[in-house]
Amino acid sequence: MRLCVKKHPYPWSFKMSDLRVRFAPSPTGFLHIGGARTALFNYLLAKKEQGTFVLRIEDTDVERSTQESVDAILQAMDWLGLSYDEGPIYQSDRYELYKSKVSALLDQGLAYRCYCTTEELNAKREAAMKIGGKPRYDGTCRERTDQPDLPYVVRFKTPRDGNTAFVDRIKGTITVENDELDDLIIQRTDGNPTYNFVVVIDDAEMGINLVIRGDDHVNNTVRQIPMYKALGYEVPEFAHVPMILGADKKRLSKRHGATSVMVYREMGFLPEAMVNYLVRLGWSCGDEEIFSMDDLIAKFSLDNVGRSAGVFNPDKLLWLNEHYIKTGDPERLGGLVAEQLEGQGVDVSDGPEMAAVVQTLQDRVKTLVEMAEGARFYFEAPVSYDEAAAAKFLTEEKRVVLELLIKYLGATVSFTLEDVEGAFKAMMEESGLKLGKIGPTVRVALTGGTVSPSIYEVVSVLGKATVLARLQKALASLV
RNA sequence: GCGCUCUUCGUCUAGCCUGGUCUAGGACACCGCCCUUUCACGGCGGCGACAGGGGUUCGAAUCCCCUAGGGCGUACCA
């Protein structure tokens, strides 16, 4: 197998076999496209390096976090095949730890209580903006020594001199002057810790040595690094993957269409198509387009992840889905299509073999939903015929065609594709009728419409009894 | 506004580090032709990009500088 070459081979700060990565969604909604890709990259690298993939639920925002969201995220990861080695670990179970870290920082003078009110803060921000300054906290309470009996938040004392820099495994070196940073709130008035604080503690305590997360966190990273140091932790390595944008180059959101990966399942997409699409958005391996999960585990590397944001392209996802449907195992696809049909109240228990049905449809549909639609006639005789089609192909003058069909097919014992084809050939030869004169009529009689797989296949898969019954029925309803 | 960052066909990208092999390759989409009993599949072909401007160099998509545009951040959200 051809592996993708490394472009920037520079050393890691730890042994790759000790790799520990994590995916840390906040349960405030379903798993969206961007999150899924982040999870996928983490998973792939962990698998490739035989490291450990941890799942952590970031539910410090009590207002917006829900158990339904946790379930939805877990379900989506399962569908995509992204299994984790440890977790899920809930931050809400770890408040004692966070509290003790806040106290420690307070005791060491590395954090302080801030009594400024939200109103005061907003006013200060506006004032700063007005004179062209940065809308940051001005440090009013930083050196305060009294402890009034008032509500307060705890802020981290961010260093004011020098700069903070790190080597991003995707974007390269990123540097920010410390005086651009302000003193972050690490504990809210209600006593709950905030994201930027707990993420540092958790990543460190869980031994995460490579943080792979969205691009939108680069700014947080430079704020978090001083906290790792203050807390006495080793700073992990970082890899920030670019954002996924909509067609208008704006951050992908609902108005660009479905953003929940599970909605794609409902729309008839296969998980391998979604995985393949997601990984190729921002990562490449030469000219290759098709990757199985095993290919990816062998070939994935952060070195081939691009630095620029990518536009989500549903057309390409659809193409990949088409590919995986075309090449998928008929038995497996049959199971999925059966689920769809049963959901629509179609009884598939005594119809033709599902796998055989699937095989006639694999080359002509792009989604499982389309496949289910196309498969429906195999299990349900047409209740009515397409009006225009019937007017054209089920006319009185087609009576002879139907009668011949019944005669020849009735005399055919086995309905293998070869035998069916043989019967049609014999009929055409002896009657002088061309397939063009017969095909459309059979199709309408058997399927009710003008679009279907090849008629030989349809006749073969439907089986003798069903075919003859439907032909008779058509005969009886000629116009 | 300020900070960080990005910029190759409409879109995803190869190439850029190690300048010549690039009249810039592949894929999706689109268009055309062929195949064809329907719808599709498939085959073949076409359209189409180095953001702009300056340098450096015999030579730049590749190195340097500037400009423009985009994204993200600037919360007691994560």
Side-chain angles (χ1 to χ4, degrees):
Chain A
M1 187 189 319
R2 196 173 70 80
L3 263 44
C4 297
V5 231
K6 281 201 166 189
K7 291 189 296 190
H8 305 291
Y10 51 100
W12 291 84
S13 58
F14 53 90
K15 276 208 302 283
M16 256 331 204
S17 54
D18 294 336
L19 177 72
R20 286 179 65 83
V21 293
R22 48 61 160 193
F23 176 54
S26 64
T28 53
F30 46 73
L31 180 64
H32 54 86
I33 301 286
R37 187 180 57 158
T38 303
L40 176 62
F41 282 11
N42 274 286
Y43 170 83
L44 290 176
L45 202 64
K47 282 291 170 199
K48 180 186 179 180
E49 305 296 346
Q50 294 175 11
T52 305
F53 179 36
V54 182
L55 178 66
R56 184 175 70 226
I57 304 297
E58 310 226 315
D59 55 354
T60 52
D61 183 348
V62 202
E63 304 286 303
R64 300 193 302 149
S65 300
T66 65
Q67 186 59 43
E68 293 76 65
S69 297
V70 173
D71 295 341
I73 290 167
L74 260 30
Q75 202 178 35
M77 287 182 68
D78 185 58
W79 180 63
L80 291 171
L82 307 180
S83 54
Y84 36 90
D85 306 298
E86 292 177 18
I89 296 166
Y90 292 80
Q91 289 186 322
S92 51
D93 290 340
R94 299 162 63 82
Y95 276 28
E96 287 312 308
L97 170 65
Y98 309 140
K99 281 237 155 73
S100 71
K101 295 295 176 183
V102 171
S103 308
L105 250 25
L106 238 22
D107 291 348
Q108 296 170 74
L110 295 170
Y112 60 93
R113 293 179 175 80
C114 169
Y115 301 87
C116 298
T117 64
T118 308
E119 295 70 44
E120 287 168 348
L121 259 21
N122 288 341
K124 280 173 184 173
R125 262 192 286 272
E126 273 171 43
M129 282 277 248
K130 222 169 196 172
I131 58 165
K134 297 139 191 147
R136 306 167 309 175
Y137 179 60
D138 64 356
T140 302
C141 300
R142 191 169 162 124
E143 307 303 338
R144 190 166 183 158
T145 47
D146 59 331
Q147 284 193 25
D149 186 23
L150 292 169
Y152 64 89
V153 297
V154 178
R155 286 183 187 270
F156 174 69
K157 264 191 197 172
T158 301
R160 288 184 157 166
D161 304 321
N163 60 44
T164 298
F166 69 99
V167 179
D168 188 277
R169 303 304 303 199
I170 291 171
K171 306 171 104 60
T173 303
I174 291 175
T175 310
V176 171
E177 294 303 316
N178 286 342
D179 63 12
E180 293 292 340
L181 278 21
D182 62 356
D183 293 345
L184 238 42
I185 291 174
I186 59 178
Q187 187 179 83
R188 302 179 173 94
T189 310
D190 64 6
N192 288 327
T194 58
Y195 164 76
N196 273 303
F197 184 59
V198 298
V199 75
V200 166
I201 295 172
D202 281 338
D203 283 336
E205 295 284 339
M206 294 174 192
I208 303 302
N209 41 24
L210 201 217
V211 174
I212 302 174
R213 67 193 358 169
D215 210 340
D216 48 341
H217 285 288
V218 283
N219 298 282
N220 288 330
T221 300
V222 291
R223 278 128 77 87
Q224 289 165 10
I225 287 174
M227 289 199 240
Y228 278 100
K229 293 176 176 165
L231 257 3
Y233 293 131
E234 212 163 295
V235 180
E237 298 230 23
F238 296 93
H240 290 96
V241 322
M243 299 277 86
I244 297 178
L245 311 176
D248 57 358
K249 303 267 189 181
K250 299 286 180 203
R251 191 182 187 140
L252 192 65
S253 68
K254 309 95 230 152
R255 64 201 165 80
H256 295 110
T259 54
S260 157
V261 310
M262 289 313 255
V263 167
Y264 284 89
R265 174 163 90 156
E266 284 162 28
M267 294 191 295
F269 284 81
L270 260 11
E272 55 268 46
M274 183 55 88
V275 164
N276 198 148
Y277 178 72
L278 252 21
V279 81
R280 276 288 289 108
L281 215 190
W283 174 85
S284 62
C285 181
D287 284 344
E288 291 181 61
E289 294 288 349
I290 305 296
F291 300 93
S292 67
M293 194 64 104
D294 286 343
D295 287 336
L296 292 173
I297 290 170
K299 297 175 176 178
F300 185 76
S301 161
L302 252 22
D303 297 319
N304 296 313
V305 174
R307 292 132 307 182
S308 51
V311 174
F312 181 73
N313 182 350
D315 275 335
K316 188 141 187 183
L317 170 58
L318 191 60
W319 173 74
L320 282 163
N321 202 52
E322 188 183 349
H323 168 81
Y324 284 106
I325 282 185
K326 206 172 298 179
T327 56
D329 170 40
E331 291 288 346
R332 172 188 167 227
L333 296 178
L336 296 171
V337 171
E339 271 175 38
Q340 295 248 352
L341 288 171
E342 278 159 3
Q344 294 165 19
V346 179
D347 178 17
V348 297
S349 60
D350 66 347
E353 280 300 313
M354 209 59 195
V357 167
V358 165
Q359 281 175 309
T360 68
L361 260 7
Q362 277 182 293
D363 275 349
R364 39 202 358 120
V365 300
K366 297 181 196 297
T367 68
L368 290 174
V369 168
E370 282 179 25
M371 191 177 265
E373 276 165 21
R376 200 172 175 129
F377 79 85
Y378 282 110
F379 305 96
E380 288 183 335
V383 277
S384 65
Y385 302 105
D386 177 84
E387 216 169 292
K392 202 169 172 192
F393 303 116
L394 287 186
T395 55
E396 189 54 38
E397 63 190 53
K398 297 291 184 187
R399 176 175 298 277
V400 58
V401 172
L402 288 171
E403 284 172 346
L404 278 170
L405 242 12
I406 291 168
K407 175 184 159 200
Y408 278 85
L409 256 14
T412 306
V413 183
S414 137
F415 259 44
T416 63
L417 196 56
E418 295 70 37
D419 290 341
V420 167
E421 208 168 329
F424 271 84
K425 290 260 164 68
M427 171 183 155
M428 288 188 281
E429 204 163 303
E430 288 161 32
S431 66
L433 288 167
K434 298 271 189 237
L435 189 52
K437 294 284 175 195
I438 310 168
T441 296
V442 190
R443 176 165 289 112
V444 180
L446 261 27
T447 72
T450 53
V451 175
S452 85
S454 128
I455 56 168
Y456 297 147
E457 287 181 320
V458 169
V459 169
S460 171
V461 172
L462 234 25
K464 187 167 178 174
T466 307
V467 168
L468 290 179
R470 291 190 191 181
L471 289 176
Q472 291 287 2
K473 188 182 168 197
L475 200 53
S477 51
L478 288 182
V479 289

